[in-house]
Amino acid sequence: MRAVVYAREHEGGAIEARWSVDWESHEWTEERIGGGKTVCWLSEPLPLGIAEESCRLFNLERNRHWTRDQLAQSLKEASETAWEAAGEKGIRTKVVWRKKELGAGDGETRKIEEAEWEALSRAAAQAGACLQGRSLLREEAAAMLAEAVPTLPEDAALRALQLAALRGAVRLAAAIEPRAAGASAKRRRPGLRCRRCGSGEERMRRTRCASCGRSGCAVCEACAPLGRSRECELLALGAEQPGAALAALPPALTDRWGLSPAQRSAAEAALRFLRGEAPARRALSRRRSADPLAAPERSFLLWAVTGAGKTEMIFPLLAAVLQAGGRALIATPRRDVVLELAPRLQKAFPDVRQAVLYGGSEDRWTNAPLTIATTHQLLRFQQAFDLVLVDELDAFPYHNDPVLHYAATKARRKQGATVLLSATPPAKLRREVRSGRTPCARVPVRYHRHPLPVPKRLNIPPVNRLIQRRELPAVLLRWLAASVGRGAQTFFFVPYIKHVPPLVALLRGHAAKLGIQSAEIEGTYSSDPDRVSKVQLFRQAKFRVLVTTTILERGVTIPRSDVFILGAHQSTFDEASLVQMAGRAGRSADDPFGRVFFCSPYATKSQSTAVRQIRSMNRIARRSGYLRPKGERA
C-alpha cells in the first residue's frame, strides 16, 4: 500500500507533515473537518512505511517559520532520508503546491456530496467504536466495519478509516514500524519491528511486493498465520479508553461462589492486588524488564495445584471488573478449553455479553465486556482490557513464545492488570515470585481438601527395551492389577508416539491376568484421527487403561484414576510435565488418594524436583490448616 505525504498548516501557523491513504477525497474531507489546511504534498505516493518515516523526520525539525523553498526542500529531504534508512534508492518526486481554496460547487452536486458525507461520517464514527481496543490489519478492519455497517460500499471502508483517523478516533500506522533514520554512529540504529506481535527484524523476510512496488518489502513471519503484516500494510489501532475504577468496589466478592478456604484466600489476595492494595512489584533492571518472557508489569501469579478449581477462583476477579464497567479477557492456549469455559462463564454471568474467540469463530469481530480467547487471538487487540487472565501459561504454545507474551501484555490497558494462572509456573517466574518482583497467592490443596498423591518410583527398564523384549516387569503388572482391582482407570503415559501401539499390544496380552477385556485397553496420541472419540470413551469409563503421550497431561479429569509414567527419566518429561501428569490422579472427592508411579531405570532431577514440589504444596496446605483431618471425607 502507498500513501501521499503532505504538509498541513494548523490555525496557529505551525506546519506538520502527515500521510494519507485516501488522497482522492482528501481535500473534500479536509474542508469539512477544518482546523487547518493542506499547503503542499509530494507528487508521488510512497510505500506506507517510508511515508510514515518521512513524516516523522520532517516533524522533528519543529520549524514554525518556513519559507516556501525551505518547506519544499525539507519535505523532499525527509523522503530521501527515509528511503536511505530503508536501504533502497528512492523514487524521484517533486512538491506540488495547493493553488486555490475549495469551492462550494453547485446546488445539485452539493446535495449529493452532503448525503455521501453523512453516510461516510456515520461509518467513521462506527469504525471508531468498533476498533476500540483493537489492532487489525486493513482487510480485518474493513471486514469488521462491513459487518457493523452492511450498507457501506466496499470501496468506502478505507475512506471511513482515514476519516476516523483524522478525527482522532482511530490511529493508522504501518503494520511494521520502519527502521529509524538519523541515529548517531555510537548508537545502533533500531531495526524493523512488527507492531502487531512485537517481533524484530530477525523474524522477517523480504519479498517483492505488488502492493507498494518495492523489491524488498519486509513481511513478519512470526504472526503470518493471522494475516500478513508487511512494511506497507496498514494497521488500524483503536483509541485507548479509560479503565474501570476498581478501587471503589465492595470487598466481599467471594461469598457468592462457595469457595473453599484456600480458594477464598487466594481470590481475596488477587482482589487486593486488582484494587492496588497489594505491594507494588519491585522495579526491574532495564535488562530484565526488556525480557519478553518475564512476567508483565502489574502482574499477579495465582499458583494453584492441579484440580484446585482455578475457574471458580477467577469468578470474583471477573465480577469485580465487570461490575465496575470494565472489560475482562481470559486467554488459554487451547481451543477446547475456550469452548469448555464459555458455557460455564455464561452460567456464572448470565447477564454479561461475551465473545468467544478462536480460529474460525463467528465472534471474531465482537467486542464484549467478557472475552474468552485462544492466546493467538490476542494479537488482534491493543490496550483493550482492564483484566487479562492468562490460563496455563506454562503450556504450549504460550510457553516460551515471546510473540504470545507480547500479545498478552499489549492487550491490557495501561492501568490494567494481568493475572497468571498455573499449577506449574516456569522456573523464571518462580524466581520472580521468590525475589518479590511478582506478587503471588498459592492454592496448595484441591477443593476436596485432601493432600496431593505423592509419586512412587518403580525401577523399570526403558520403554524401548520393554517393547524389544515383548514383556512387562512383574512389579509393573502387580501394581496395574491392584489399580484395576480397586476399580480405577489407568493413565499410561509414554515419552513418544512410537511407543503407544506396541505398548497397547503388550498390555492387551496381559488383559486376562488383569481381569479385564483386551478391548478395554486403548491408546491415543496427537495425530490419532480417533483421538477425540477415544478420550470421550475413556471419560465414560469404556476403557480401563489408556496409553497416551503428554497430550493428556492437562484438561482430562477421571473420577477414579491412577497414573503410570513409563520412561519418566526421558528429557521429554520435565518437572512441569511430571507434575501435570501426576495431577490426573486423586482429583475426585470420591477417590482423593489415587496412585502415581514414576517408572524408570534411574531417578532424575526432574523426578526429584517434581516430587519436592508436590510435597511442598502438601506441607503448605497442612501448615495453613487447609487439609481435612485424617479420616474425614469430603
PDB file of all heavy atoms in Angstrom, residues 178-196:
ATOM      1  N   PRO A 178       8.840   1.248  10.772  1.00  0.00           N
ATOM      2  CA  PRO A 178      10.001   1.375   9.882  1.00  0.00           C
ATOM      3  C   PRO A 178      11.304   1.560  10.645  1.00  0.00           C
ATOM      4  O   PRO A 178      11.322   1.974  11.805  1.00  0.00           O
ATOM      5  CB  PRO A 178       9.662   2.608   9.039  1.00  0.00           C
ATOM      6  CG  PRO A 178       8.680   3.375   9.857  1.00  0.00           C
ATOM      7  CD  PRO A 178       7.898   2.369  10.648  1.00  0.00           C
ATOM      8  N   ARG A 179      12.376   1.224   9.964  1.00  0.00           N
ATOM      9  CA  ARG A 179      13.702   1.416  10.551  1.00  0.00           C
ATOM     10  C   ARG A 179      13.957   2.913  10.690  1.00  0.00           C
ATOM     11  O   ARG A 179      13.834   3.679   9.739  1.00  0.00           O
ATOM     12  CB  ARG A 179      14.766   0.776   9.654  1.00  0.00           C
ATOM     13  CG  ARG A 179      16.167   0.860  10.233  1.00  0.00           C
ATOM     14  CD  ARG A 179      17.220   0.321   9.276  1.00  0.00           C
ATOM     15  NE  ARG A 179      17.165  -1.118   9.181  1.00  0.00           N
ATOM     16  CZ  ARG A 179      16.883  -1.772   8.074  1.00  0.00           C
ATOM     17  NH1 ARG A 179      16.592  -1.096   6.974  1.00  0.00           N
ATOM     18  NH2 ARG A 179      16.885  -3.079   8.046  1.00  0.00           N
ATOM     19  N   ALA A 180      14.330   3.325  11.898  1.00  0.00           N
ATOM     20  CA  ALA A 180      14.530   4.755  12.165  1.00  0.00           C
ATOM     21  C   ALA A 180      15.793   5.256  11.494  1.00  0.00           C
ATOM     22  O   ALA A 180      16.825   4.584  11.469  1.00  0.00           O
ATOM     23  CB  ALA A 180      14.605   5.007  13.665  1.00  0.00           C
ATOM     24  N   ALA A 181      15.721   6.454  10.945  1.00  0.00           N
ATOM     25  CA  ALA A 181      16.879   7.089  10.317  1.00  0.00           C
ATOM     26  C   ALA A 181      17.499   8.097  11.265  1.00  0.00           C
ATOM     27  O   ALA A 181      16.890   8.515  12.247  1.00  0.00           O
ATOM     28  CB  ALA A 181      16.445   7.796   9.026  1.00  0.00           C
ATOM     29  N   GLY A 182      18.744   8.485  10.983  1.00  0.00           N
ATOM     30  CA  GLY A 182      19.393   9.561  11.706  1.00  0.00           C
ATOM     31  C   GLY A 182      19.995   9.195  13.033  1.00  0.00           C
ATOM     32  O   GLY A 182      20.279  10.064  13.852  1.00  0.00           O
ATOM     33  N   ALA A 183      20.202   7.893  13.313  1.00  0.00           N
ATOM     34  CA  ALA A 183      20.836   7.505  14.573  1.00  0.00           C
ATOM     35  C   ALA A 183      22.317   7.851  14.535  1.00  0.00           C
ATOM     36  O   ALA A 183      22.949   7.851  13.488  1.00  0.00           O
ATOM     37  CB  ALA A 183      20.652   6.008  14.810  1.00  0.00           C
ATOM     38  N   SER A 184      22.892   8.152  15.694  1.00  0.00           N
ATOM     39  CA  SER A 184      24.300   8.511  15.760  1.00  0.00           C
ATOM     40  C   SER A 184      25.163   7.283  15.519  1.00  0.00           C
ATOM     41  O   SER A 184      24.712   6.142  15.602  1.00  0.00           O
ATOM     42  CB  SER A 184      24.623   9.109  17.127  1.00  0.00           C
ATOM     43  OG  SER A 184      24.451   8.127  18.135  1.00  0.00           O
ATOM     44  N   ALA A 185      26.433   7.510  15.239  1.00  0.00           N
ATOM     45  CA  ALA A 185      27.347   6.405  14.952  1.00  0.00           C
ATOM     46  C   ALA A 185      27.547   5.516  16.172  1.00  0.00           C
ATOM     47  O   ALA A 185      27.804   4.330  16.057  1.00  0.00           O
ATOM     48  CB  ALA A 185      28.692   6.972  14.485  1.00  0.00           C
ATOM     49  N   LYS A 186      27.460   6.120  17.371  1.00  0.00           N
ATOM     50  CA  LYS A 186      27.698   5.339  18.593  1.00  0.00           C
ATOM     51  C   LYS A 186      26.480   4.484  18.958  1.00  0.00           C
ATOM     52  O   LYS A 186      26.599   3.526  19.703  1.00  0.00           O
ATOM     53  CB  LYS A 186      28.009   6.292  19.762  1.00  0.00           C
ATOM     54  CG  LYS A 186      29.342   7.011  19.604  1.00  0.00           C
ATOM     55  CD  LYS A 186      29.619   7.886  20.821  1.00  0.00           C
ATOM     56  CE  LYS A 186      30.956   8.598  20.693  1.00  0.00           C
ATOM     57  NZ  LYS A 186      31.229   9.470  21.859  1.00  0.00           N
ATOM     58  N   ARG A 187      25.343   4.857  18.452  1.00  0.00           N
ATOM     59  CA  ARG A 187      24.116   4.151  18.813  1.00  0.00           C
ATOM     60  C   ARG A 187      23.592   3.382  17.602  1.00  0.00           C
ATOM     61  O   ARG A 187      23.359   3.963  16.551  1.00  0.00           O
ATOM     62  CB  ARG A 187      23.075   5.153  19.292  1.00  0.00           C
ATOM     63  CG  ARG A 187      21.795   4.491  19.799  1.00  0.00           C
ATOM     64  CD  ARG A 187      20.847   5.567  20.301  1.00  0.00           C
ATOM     65  NE  ARG A 187      19.595   4.971  20.754  1.00  0.00           N
ATOM     66  CZ  ARG A 187      18.560   5.677  21.170  1.00  0.00           C
ATOM     67  NH1 ARG A 187      18.646   7.007  21.194  1.00  0.00           N
ATOM     68  NH2 ARG A 187      17.458   5.077  21.559  1.00  0.00           N
ATOM     69  N   ARG A 188      23.428   2.092  17.766  1.00  0.00           N
ATOM     70  CA  ARG A 188      22.959   1.277  16.656  1.00  0.00           C
ATOM     71  C   ARG A 188      21.532   1.658  16.288  1.00  0.00           C
ATOM     72  O   ARG A 188      20.682   1.827  17.140  1.00  0.00           O
ATOM     73  CB  ARG A 188      23.014  -0.206  17.030  1.00  0.00           C
ATOM     74  CG  ARG A 188      22.795  -1.133  15.847  1.00  0.00           C
ATOM     75  CD  ARG A 188      23.092  -2.560  16.247  1.00  0.00           C
ATOM     76  NE  ARG A 188      22.102  -3.063  17.182  1.00  0.00           N
ATOM     77  CZ  ARG A 188      20.956  -3.625  16.811  1.00  0.00           C
ATOM     78  NH1 ARG A 188      20.673  -3.760  15.540  1.00  0.00           N
ATOM     79  NH2 ARG A 188      20.099  -4.070  17.712  1.00  0.00           N
ATOM     80  N   ARG A 189      21.307   1.792  14.991  1.00  0.00           N
ATOM     81  CA  ARG A 189      20.004   2.203  14.506  1.00  0.00           C
ATOM     82  C   ARG A 189      18.977   1.101  14.759  1.00  0.00           C
ATOM     83  O   ARG A 189      19.205  -0.061  14.397  1.00  0.00           O
ATOM     84  CB  ARG A 189      20.099   2.489  13.009  1.00  0.00           C
ATOM     85  CG  ARG A 189      18.845   3.091  12.414  1.00  0.00           C
ATOM     86  CD  ARG A 189      19.096   3.526  10.983  1.00  0.00           C
ATOM     87  NE  ARG A 189      19.449   2.381  10.145  1.00  0.00           N
ATOM     88  CZ  ARG A 189      19.994   2.494   8.942  1.00  0.00           C
ATOM     89  NH1 ARG A 189      20.294   3.674   8.473  1.00  0.00           N
ATOM     90  NH2 ARG A 189      20.265   1.421   8.227  1.00  0.00           N
ATOM     91  N   PRO A 190      17.846   1.442  15.371  1.00  0.00           N
ATOM     92  CA  PRO A 190      16.823   0.412  15.624  1.00  0.00           C
ATOM     93  C   PRO A 190      16.344  -0.217  14.320  1.00  0.00           C
ATOM     94  O   PRO A 190      16.191   0.461  13.307  1.00  0.00           O
ATOM     95  CB  PRO A 190      15.702   1.193  16.302  1.00  0.00           C
ATOM     96  CG  PRO A 190      16.347   2.442  16.823  1.00  0.00           C
ATOM     97  CD  PRO A 190      17.454   2.755  15.877  1.00  0.00           C
ATOM     98  N   GLY A 191      16.125  -1.530  14.344  1.00  0.00           N
ATOM     99  CA  GLY A 191      15.664  -2.220  13.156  1.00  0.00           C
ATOM    100  C   GLY A 191      14.153  -2.220  13.053  1.00  0.00           C
ATOM    101  O   GLY A 191      13.447  -1.569  13.827  1.00  0.00           O
ATOM    102  N   LEU A 192      13.649  -2.940  12.081  1.00  0.00           N
ATOM    103  CA  LEU A 192      12.204  -3.056  11.901  1.00  0.00           C
ATOM    104  C   LEU A 192      11.580  -3.781  13.083  1.00  0.00           C
ATOM    105  O   LEU A 192      12.206  -4.639  13.701  1.00  0.00           O
ATOM    106  CB  LEU A 192      11.898  -3.824  10.615  1.00  0.00           C
ATOM    107  CG  LEU A 192      12.446  -3.232   9.311  1.00  0.00           C
ATOM    108  CD1 LEU A 192      12.187  -4.189   8.159  1.00  0.00           C
ATOM    109  CD2 LEU A 192      11.812  -1.884   9.017  1.00  0.00           C
ATOM    110  N   ARG A 193      10.320  -3.459  13.389  1.00  0.00           N
ATOM    111  CA  ARG A 193       9.605  -4.136  14.472  1.00  0.00           C
ATOM    112  C   ARG A 193       8.139  -4.253  14.089  1.00  0.00           C
ATOM    113  O   ARG A 193       7.520  -3.275  13.664  1.00  0.00           O
ATOM    114  CB  ARG A 193       9.734  -3.360  15.783  1.00  0.00           C
ATOM    115  CG  ARG A 193       9.116  -4.079  16.986  1.00  0.00           C
ATOM    116  CD  ARG A 193       9.253  -3.223  18.231  1.00  0.00           C
ATOM    117  NE  ARG A 193       8.436  -2.033  18.153  1.00  0.00           N
ATOM    118  CZ  ARG A 193       7.170  -1.943  18.540  1.00  0.00           C
ATOM    119  NH1 ARG A 193       6.561  -3.013  19.038  1.00  0.00           N
ATOM    120  NH2 ARG A 193       6.499  -0.809  18.451  1.00  0.00           N
ATOM    121  N   CYS A 194       7.604  -5.463  14.223  1.00  0.00           N
ATOM    122  CA  CYS A 194       6.191  -5.681  13.909  1.00  0.00           C
ATOM    123  C   CYS A 194       5.340  -5.071  15.014  1.00  0.00           C
ATOM    124  O   CYS A 194       5.500  -5.406  16.195  1.00  0.00           O
ATOM    125  CB  CYS A 194       5.906  -7.175  13.778  1.00  0.00           C
ATOM    126  SG  CYS A 194       4.167  -7.544  13.431  1.00  0.00           S
ATOM    127  N   ARG A 195       4.452  -4.180  14.633  1.00  0.00           N
ATOM    128  CA  ARG A 195       3.611  -3.520  15.632  1.00  0.00           C
ATOM    129  C   ARG A 195       2.514  -4.434  16.159  1.00  0.00           C
ATOM    130  O   ARG A 195       1.921  -4.160  17.186  1.00  0.00           O
ATOM    131  CB  ARG A 195       2.976  -2.260  15.021  1.00  0.00           C
ATOM    132  CG  ARG A 195       3.935  -1.076  14.907  1.00  0.00           C
ATOM    133  CD  ARG A 195       3.173   0.192  14.572  1.00  0.00           C
ATOM    134  NE  ARG A 195       3.994   1.374  14.759  1.00  0.00           N
ATOM    135  CZ  ARG A 195       4.446   2.144  13.780  1.00  0.00           C
ATOM    136  NH1 ARG A 195       4.163   1.835  12.531  1.00  0.00           N
ATOM    137  NH2 ARG A 195       5.170   3.216  14.042  1.00  0.00           N
ATOM    138  N   ARG A 196       2.239  -5.506  15.449  1.00  0.00           N
ATOM    139  CA  ARG A 196       1.182  -6.400  15.892  1.00  0.00           C
ATOM    140  C   ARG A 196       1.694  -7.428  16.893  1.00  0.00           C
ATOM    141  O   ARG A 196       1.045  -7.710  17.888  1.00  0.00           O
ATOM    142  CB  ARG A 196       0.549  -7.109  14.686  1.00  0.00           C
ATOM    143  CG  ARG A 196      -0.625  -7.982  15.067  1.00  0.00           C
ATOM    144  CD  ARG A 196      -1.404  -8.456  13.872  1.00  0.00           C
ATOM    145  NE  ARG A 196      -0.624  -9.322  13.001  1.00  0.00           N
ATOM    146  CZ  ARG A 196      -1.150 -10.070  12.043  1.00  0.00           C
ATOM    147  NH1 ARG A 196      -2.443 -10.042  11.826  1.00  0.00           N
ATOM    148  NH2 ARG A 196      -0.395 -10.822  11.285  1.00  0.00           N
TER     149      ARG A 196
END
